[in-house]
Amino acid sequence: MKRRNFMNQLGAGALISGLSIPLSAATGSEKAESSKNSEAVQHMVIFVLKHDKGSLAEAKFLSDARTILSKIPVVKEFRVLDQVNVKNDYHFGFSMVFANQMAYDTYNHNPDHLAFVEKRWKKEVARFLEIDFKVH
Amino acid sequence: MKRRNFMNQLGAGALISGLSIPLSAATGSEKAESSKNSEAVQHMVIFVLKHDKGSLAEAKFLSDARTILSKIPVVKEFRVLDQVNVKNDYHFGFSMVFANQMAYDTYNHNPDHLAFVEKRWKKEVARFLEIDFKVH
C-alpha cells in the first residue's frame, strides 16, 4: 500500500509509467548511471484463443492464467492485457518481468508453469508470438 | 531524482517493475480499486533494420529515434529495447505509454513524429509489427 500511495503523489505521469527496466534508462544521458537492472527481462506473449470473443471460456482462461502464473515467485508485474492495435491480429497479451536470466530459467522449469502450458495453453491457444525485451 | 531514490528503497522487486497501467492491476482483487489509468495505452513496435547488426547506422537510428520521439510531450516512458527471444525474429523494440487515446492521437499527428516516420522509419526499417496494450 505504501508504494501505491507514493505513486499517487507523483501524479498521472508516474502512474502510467511503463517499463522500468531499469528506471533510469529513460534517456541516453541517464543510461550510463544504471547498471542495477541491466539483466532484467520483460517477457511477453501475444495470442489468440480458440474460444469465442467474450465467452466464459475466454474469461476463465485469462483469470486462471493470472492466478496460476502471477503466484510463481520469480514472476514480477504479471499483467493480462488486451491487444488493441488494429494492424496486429493478436487479441490478448501477458506480460511479466524477470530480474535476470536465472529467474527466467526458473520460470521455464517451474512445475505450475509447465502444467499450465500442457493442460491449458496448448489446448486453448490458437496462435501466439513471444517477445522478450531487454533495455538496449 | 526523488522518484529514483524512492524506487531504490523498494528494492529489486520494484525496480524491475514492468507495466504500471494501472499499478493496481497486478491482481484481480486489486483491479477493481483502480479506474484512474484504465485508458492508458502502452504502444510498442518491434522491428528489423536494413542496417547491419552492430553498425554505426544502426546505432544512429536508435539514438536519433530516442532523441526525437522521447521529447514529444505526450510520450511517456520511452524505451529503446533489444528483442532477445530466439523464437521471434524481430531485433529491436520501442515502447512508450500514452495516458489515453487522445494522447495517442496527438502523437500520431505530431509533426516531429510524422517527419521521423517519413525521413527515417520508412527508409531504414525492413519490417515491423505494432502492438498496443491496455490492461484487460
Side-chain angles (χ1 to χ4, degrees), chain A residues 80 105 115:
Chain A
V80 177
D105 294 343

Side-chain angles (χ1 to χ4, degrees), chain A:
Chain A
M1 294 304 293
K2 189 179 176 188
R3 179 176 170 203
R4 189 179 313 152
N5 290 342
F6 176 80
M7 296 303 277
N8 285 343
Q9 289 166 26
L10 292 172
L15 270 167
I16 63 164
S17 69
L19 297 173
S20 299
I21 50 168
L23 194 69
S24 57
T27 69
S29 60
E30 285 180 313
K31 193 177 180 186
E33 294 175 25
S34 174
S35 59
K36 192 168 281 189
N37 283 288
S38 60
E39 298 308 314
V41 182
Q42 184 185 21
H43 171 57
M44 290 174 285
V45 59
I46 52 178
F47 57 95
V48 174
L49 291 174
K50 295 176 181 174
H51 308 303
D52 290 340
K53 287 285 278 180
S55 64
L56 281 176
E58 174 190 272
K60 180 167 171 50
F61 178 86
L62 299 175
S63 174
D64 289 350
R66 186 198 301 273
T67 301
I68 293 164
L69 301 178
S70 69
K71 76 175 181 193
I72 296 172
V74 290
V75 170
K76 308 298 180 192
E77 303 288 334
F78 185 84
R79 297 287 185 271
V80 177
L81 300 152
D82 293 321
Q83 199 300 116
V84 297
N85 190 297
V86 295
K87 290 172 275 186
N88 170 326
D89 59 359
Y90 293 92
H91 299 165
F92 297 107
F94 294 150
S95 176
M96 61 200 81
V97 177
F98 300 110
N100 50 43
Q101 188 60 46
M102 188 180 299
Y104 196 165
D105 294 343
T106 299
Y107 172 73
N108 280 331
H109 294 91
N110 177 278
D112 292 335
H113 173 216
L114 294 174
F116 176 79
V117 170
E118 288 300 319
K119 293 178 186 171
R120 307 297 301 276
W121 187 267
K122 288 184 178 178
K123 294 176 182 172
E124 299 179 56
V125 172
R127 57 194 171 79
F128 66 96
L129 176 68
E130 292 184 42
I131 304 159
D132 289 343
F133 279 151
K134 294 186 73 168
V135 171
H136 178 74

Side-chain angles (χ1 to χ4, degrees), chain B residues 24-63:
Chain B
S24 57
T27 70
S29 60
E30 286 181 316
K31 193 177 179 185
E33 295 175 24
S34 174
S35 59
K36 191 168 282 187
N37 284 286
S38 60
E39 297 308 314
V41 182
Q42 184 186 20
H43 171 57
M44 289 173 285
V45 59
I46 52 178
F47 57 95
V48 174
L49 290 174
K50 294 176 182 173
H51 308 303
D52 291 339
K53 287 285 279 178
S55 64
L56 281 176
E58 174 189 273
K60 181 165 171 50
F61 178 86
L62 298 175
S63 175

